[in-house]
Amino acid sequence: MKSNASLKEIAGILKAAQSILVFTHTNPDGDALGSAAALCRALRKMGKDAWAVFTDHIPEYLHFIDDEYFTWDIDLIKNQDVSICLDCSDYDRFPTLIDKFNDGKTKLCVDHHATADGFGDYYYVDSDAAATCELAYMLMVEMGAEIDKTIAESIYAGINTDTGSFRYSNATSQTHRITAELMEYGIDHTSINVKLYQTIGLAKMRIQAASLDKAEFLYDGKVALGFVTDEMLKKASATVDDADDNVDMLRNIEGVEMAVFLKEKGDNVKVSMRSKSYANVNEIAASLGGGGHAKAAGCTLEMSMEDAIETMKKALEDYWQN
Ligand code: 5GP
Ligand code: MN
């Protein structure tokens, strides 16, 4: 574990602070938003001035997460006592907010990414944790925070999404124990699951169908490679967020061990990678300047879609033929 502080020490620093700004990675997911929302609410309940600062938008399917403490006003608090970065240990993953993070008198980082080096003055990185939300929960317990149903629901949302609804191998006994504790706060897990998985817009379904249609299956069907372009999105009246789950859709296919999905985003291509049982996609992502976990990783390629597909095919060849 690459940490230079314990959760207890980080809890102590937060307790001693008055103004706290929370940061997460770009394109925030359920774990990033859930951990930020929960920690801000817990800190507010302790009488502190706490906000989570964003520059990106929140994807539609995560709008149900408690956003009372989210702000896009970067100057809302100046010279904060503490900056804490959650679910992100890589400066490249929150480029627009690094300066603001560094304005904090004390800088903290709590994360669960395997590729995390840790940064800031005090960092706690546990790659065995399924989600940063697990660590945020343990941190709040260390702080002696008053956890309520709203906090528990934010934590549940992050654990649920990062474990693929408790299906992935990262879901440990600790994950289930924490989730059992969350249930004690009366969380409405059925409603959260409906919002996460059973409220899919038709445009999203259409872009899944279009992506499946264009997907290639390589190495005897072990690898599925798919992509979405602006043109495909326009045709389906979909947004790029609607394609976020397409990589999981490809992994779900019988015989597929590794799924790679490319999304056109302006002049860049965002690559998402997943594996099912034994392959390590983090190796491929890291070789291309990205990172993540063994079974879920990603990177951004600054090139055209055509070149990005070729780059990924080359990286796949290096991986599967060695
Ligand atoms: P996703 O494919 O859902 O965007 O990301 C899957 C996992 O890979 C997440 O844990 C995410 O943090 C990590 N990841 C995705 N893109 C990048 C990237 O560009 N750099 C790094 N270091 N990690 C990434
Ligand atoms: Mn996470």
Side-chain angles (χ1 to χ4, degrees), residues 90 93 113 115 270 272-274 290-293 296-300:
D90 188 335
R93 296 214 69 214
H113 287 95
T115 38
K270 171 79 182 77
S272 287
M273 285 169 256
R274 301 287 186 269
H293 315 273
C299 61
T300 298

Side-chain angles (χ1 to χ4, degrees), residues 102-121:
N102 283 332
D103 280 350
K105 291 178 199 123
T106 305
K107 296 174 275 296
L108 310 173
C109 169
V110 173
D111 187 37
H112 73 131
H113 287 95
T115 38
D117 289 327
F119 57 71
D121 304 312

Side-chain angles (χ1 to χ4, degrees), residues 29 31 87 112-113 130-132 162 293:
D29 59 7
D31 191 27
D87 201 37
H112 73 131
H113 287 95
T132 299
D162 259 29
H293 315 273

